[in-house]
Amino acid sequence: GWLLDFVACYPSDCLAVSRCFIDDGVDAQFYHRVPNREDGMTFAFDAVAIYGDRSDIERLRGRSRVHRFARHALAALKRLEGSVAE
């Protein structure tokens, strides 16, 4: 999708923002202050899964224990651990 294309153009910036989002543990806010939890979480966790490194493993493990982030964190963790192991 277009989200990952955007991340591919600005990987270090998107990774930094995504890490902050994950660390803060807050819902994303979009235009007109309408929360869209899934898009924001998907963007952040996908960016970390693709461009992250070993330092992100504990970050993702911590979020995997928080119900609203668990599904995204576990998927990202699985993908990241697979790429770090290669």
Side-chain angles (χ1 to χ4, degrees):
W2 69 271
L3 289 177
L4 295 183
D5 294 341
F6 181 79
V7 174
C9 292
Y10 306 98
S12 59
D13 294 329
C14 290
L15 184 57
V17 169
S18 295
R19 285 172 170 157
C20 287
F21 173 84
I22 292 170
D23 290 345
D24 289 348
V26 296
D27 290 332
Q29 295 293 319
F30 292 91
Y31 192 68
H32 290 295
R33 298 186 200 153
V34 176
N36 191 338
R37 298 168 91 177
E38 291 301 310
D39 285 351
M41 280 192 265
T42 299
F43 179 88
F45 284 98
D46 284 354
V48 171
I50 294 168
Y51 295 100
D53 55 36
R54 292 182 199 279
S55 70
D56 294 301
I57 292 174
E58 282 307 311
R59 171 180 284 113
L60 294 173
R61 284 185 181 150
R63 286 294 166 223
S64 72
R65 293 186 285 272
V66 178
H67 178 73
R68 71 177 180 219
F69 297 116
R71 178 173 52 92
H72 295 283
L74 290 170
L77 188 58
K78 182 177 179 180
R79 187 170 183 177
L80 182 63
E81 285 180 328
S83 67
V84 169
E86 293 175 356

